[in-house]
Amino acid sequence: MASNQPLGYMLGRSLRVFKNQLTAELRNRQTALTFEQFVILHLLSSNDNIIQQDLAKHMQKDKSIIVRQINGLLEGHYVERLTNKEDKRKRNLILTKAGYEILNEMKKIATEVTQN
């Protein structure tokens, strides 16, 4: 199926469709986390030296939105804040055991959504 739409448009649309389908499936399964929190957990799993400011830049979101998302992850004991060894003013975010477990569950759901 050929399309006259630019590649960027098609990629953006594909991402929106995937995000909407995954969000609906997470809601159906009554998962405690949102799509954005899933993305945050995924980013944290691949980088143990990341701070909130880095997440905000990477996700291109306002810092206050990221703080709310992280606070939800902290309340669920999926993430911990640790003092940065090099700069005591900064706090690194790391996944807990529960964080890795729910991330793996959500990855399975995401895989199922992409296969349907």
Side-chain angles (χ1 to χ4, degrees), residues 20 36 38 54 58 77 81 97 102:
N20 291 340
E36 287 77 16
F38 169 60
D54 296 337
H58 185 78
H77 303 285
R81 283 188 182 118
K97 182 180 177 188
I102 198 156

Side-chain angles (χ1 to χ4, degrees), residues 17 24 48 86 91 96 103:
V17 168
D48 61 350
E86 297 162 5
R91 311 279 309 268
T96 62
L103 176 61

Side-chain angles (χ1 to χ4, degrees), residues 40 43-44 47-58 66 70 81-84 87 89-94:
I40 290 171
L43 289 170
L44 293 177
N47 186 350
D48 61 350
N49 199 24
I50 197 165
I51 60 174
Q52 288 176 189
Q53 204 169 12
D54 296 337
L55 283 174
K57 286 180 188 174
H58 185 78
I66 297 298
I70 291 171
R81 283 188 182 118
L82 298 177
T83 304
N84 187 296
D87 187 344
R89 297 171 295 172
K90 294 181 180 180
R91 311 279 309 268
N92 290 10
L93 298 168
I94 61 162

Side-chain angles (χ1 to χ4, degrees), residues 67-83:
V67 168
R68 273 184 262 141
Q69 297 290 341
I70 291 171
N71 285 342
L73 293 171
L74 287 166
E75 289 172 13
H77 303 285
Y78 302 120
V79 172
E80 288 182 1
R81 283 188 182 118
L82 298 177
T83 304

